[in-house]
Amino acid sequence: MIVNLSNHPSDVWDESQKEAAHIYGEIKDIPFPMISAQSTETEIKRLAEDYAEEVKKYKPEAAMVQGEFTLTYSLVNKLKELGINCISACSERMTTTEILEDGSCKKSSVFKFVKFRKY
């Protein structure tokens, strides 16, 4: 099993990402929490502990952890201490820029999954 702990539910992943994830087995989505800029380091540490315990319940072979940087860092360290492989999705970003009639600039990005990379 792989736990997807991010704000990118697996049902919207492209087929290549789903296929790459299935080497770990079933995908279990756990939404990454919203983190306030006002959160303290103690609150981040507590959240990391809580989420590590939640992930541990599923006994995954791996966890894809992507979200707010300080919680991601803390959570990855806790999961690795528990023997859970932590990975991140690596994508190529293709951006187009369009100048609109009013002179403003519109940028659009498409992310193409390439691979998973271990933390």
Side-chain angles (χ1 to χ4, degrees), residues 2 12 16-17 27 33 53 57 60 62-63 68-69 81 90 97 102-103 105:
I2 180 173
V12 298
S16 62
Q17 186 170 0
I27 303 168
E53 285 302 313
K57 291 177 189 175
E68 190 275 338
F69 296 120
E81 287 172 9
C90 301
T97 304
D102 65 1
C105 178

Side-chain angles (χ1 to χ4, degrees), residues 14-26:
D14 69 23
E15 286 306 312
S16 62
Q17 186 170 0
K18 289 178 186 175
E19 186 176 309
H22 281 299
I23 67 166
Y24 299 106
E26 176 188 349

Side-chain angles (χ1 to χ4, degrees), residues 3 6 13 57 73:
V3 170
S6 74
W13 290 358
K57 291 177 189 175
Y73 178 80

Side-chain angles (χ1 to χ4, degrees), residues 89-95 109-115:
C90 301
S91 302
E92 295 290 340
R93 180 173 63 180
M94 296 162 277
T95 304
S109 296
V110 173
F111 294 89
K112 177 72 175 148
F113 174 79
V114 175
K115 66 180 182 176

Side-chain angles (χ1 to χ4, degrees), residues 82-100:
L82 294 170
I84 299 170
N85 295 311
C86 294
I87 59 177
S88 179
C90 301
S91 302
E92 295 290 340
R93 180 173 63 180
M94 296 162 277
T95 304
T96 57
T97 304
E98 177 184 357
I99 304 300
L100 303 177

Side-chain angles (χ1 to χ4, degrees), residues 14-112:
D14 69 23
E15 286 306 312
S16 62
Q17 186 170 0
K18 289 178 186 175
E19 186 176 309
H22 281 299
I23 67 166
Y24 299 106
E26 176 188 349
I27 303 168
K28 169 66 180 164
D29 291 317
I30 299 176
F32 199 93
M34 297 298 297
I35 304 299
S36 168
Q38 301 302 318
S39 295
T40 65
E41 291 171 11
T42 300
E43 290 169 327
I44 296 298
K45 181 180 177 186
R46 191 174 313 118
L47 267 176
E49 290 168 354
D50 291 347
Y51 274 82
E53 285 302 313
E54 177 69 18
V55 170
K56 182 177 147 182
K57 291 177 189 175
Y58 296 99
K59 299 179 180 154
E61 185 175 329
M64 185 184 91
V65 185
Q66 292 182 216
E68 190 275 338
F69 296 120
T70 60
L71 178 55
T72 295
Y73 178 80
S74 186
L75 185 52
V76 164
N77 285 320
K78 294 211 175 293
L79 292 171
K80 288 176 79 173
E81 287 172 9
L82 294 170
I84 299 170
N85 295 311
C86 294
I87 59 177
S88 179
C90 301
S91 302
E92 295 290 340
R93 180 173 63 180
M94 296 162 277
T95 304
T96 57
T97 304
E98 177 184 357
I99 304 300
L100 303 177
E101 288 182 16
D102 65 1
S104 61
C105 178
K106 176 183 175 184
K107 284 192 175 197
S108 299
S109 296
V110 173
F111 294 89
K112 177 72 175 148

